[in-house]
Amino acid sequence: MSRRRPAVLRDAAPDRTLREHLIATAARLVGERGRAGLTVRDIAHEAQVADGALYNYFEGKDDLLAHALSAHVDAVMRDAGLPQPGEATVEANLRAYIDYGLRVLTQVLPAFSGFLAQPEVIARAGRLMGQPGQAPSLPELVGAYLEGEQRLGRISPQASLTAATTLIVGACHELTLPRMLFNPEADLGNVPPQAVDDLVTTVLNGISPT
C-alpha cells in the first residue's frame, strides 16, 4: 500500500505540511497570547482549517500545545548572532551572552507560565526541545562558548565551566523569573545595566579578596 503524502497548505510557507503549519500557527499564538484562553477553535481558525483537522495530526490538544511551545522556544533561540570564542574580549562576550539570555527569557518565560497548571505539556515540550535539530539551549550555548575560550587560553584552565555556566544562566533567571511571578505588570526587559556589569565582574574576578 502506498503511503499518503503529507498535505500541504496552499497559503502557508512553500513545502510546509499542514502539520507544520498547525505547529507554526499555534507557536505564534502561544508567543503572542500565552496559554490563557487558547482553544482548539482559536488555533484552527487562525490556521484556516476545520477544527477536526488538528486531531488528524496530533494525539490531542496537549500534544499540539507541547509542539507549539517547543517551536516557540526554538524560534526565539534561532539565529542568536552571538560572538564566538576568540572574538573581541571575554568581558564583552560575556555581556553579550548575558544580554541574549535575558532577551530569551523575557520571551519564553511568559509562554511557559501559561502552562504551569499543565506540567504534562511542559514535560512533553521539554522532551521535544532536546531532540536533534532543535536550537541549543541557553546553558549549552554558554557552556560551549566558555569551553572554546578555555581551549584558547583566555579562561583559566582551573576554572569550572559548569559552575560558571550555572552562575550565568541562574542569574539570568533570577533577574527575570521573580519579577514575572510576583509583579506581572513589570517590564521583564528592563533589567538594570549595573546588574549585568556586576555579574560579568563577579564571573571574571570571583569574590576572593586576593
Side-chain angles (χ1 to χ4, degrees):
M1 180 181 295
S2 63
R3 230 177 179 182
R4 185 168 64 95
R5 296 181 61 188
V8 177
L9 199 69
R10 289 184 179 178
D11 60 348
D15 299 326
R16 176 182 284 175
T17 67
L18 179 53
R19 185 176 190 275
E20 292 166 342
H21 175 63
L22 290 168
I23 292 174
T25 300
R28 177 169 55 79
L29 292 176
V30 165
E32 293 173 355
R33 296 167 43 179
R35 168 68 180 83
L38 186 59
T39 65
V40 168
R41 179 168 294 182
D42 291 332
I43 298 171
H45 177 76
E46 193 72 16
Q48 300 181 356
V49 300
D51 296 2
L54 276 66
Y55 299 101
N56 294 329
Y57 297 91
F58 303 94
E59 297 174 13
K61 181 183 177 184
D62 286 354
D63 186 33
L64 170 58
L65 290 176
H67 278 83
L69 186 56
S70 172
H72 171 61
V73 174
D74 187 69
V76 171
M77 298 290 291
R78 291 282 176 185
D79 301 322
L82 291 166
Q84 298 302 303
E87 297 178 359
T89 65
V90 173
E91 179 179 357
N93 294 343
L94 285 178
R95 186 170 285 105
Y97 275 82
I98 292 167
D99 287 340
Y100 170 74
L102 293 172
R103 290 197 306 273
V104 165
L105 291 175
T106 59
Q107 295 180 68
V108 303
L109 285 179
F112 271 96
S113 69
F115 294 94
L116 291 178
Q118 295 177 280
E120 69 283 356
V121 172
I122 294 178
R124 185 175 296 193
R127 291 191 294 272
L128 292 169
M129 286 184 282
Q131 293 182 353
Q134 295 293 302
S137 66
L138 182 58
E140 289 171 337
L141 284 171
V142 174
Y145 165 73
L146 294 176
E147 183 179 354
E149 293 287 27
Q150 193 174 59
R151 285 198 302 268
L152 293 173
R154 303 212 305 171
I155 290 178
S156 168
Q158 286 77 40
S160 169
L161 302 187
T162 300
T165 299
T166 300
L167 177 61
I168 292 169
V169 176
C172 289
H173 279 85
E174 178 63 25
L175 289 169
T176 51
L177 184 57
R179 297 162 71 202
M180 183 193 73
L181 292 177
F182 304 122
N183 186 10
E185 302 303 319
D187 178 7
L188 298 186
N190 188 26
V191 174
Q194 187 62 45
V196 177
D197 293 338
D198 291 345
L199 177 56
V200 171
T201 299
T202 301
V203 170
L204 288 176
N205 303 326
I207 59 175
S208 173
T210 58

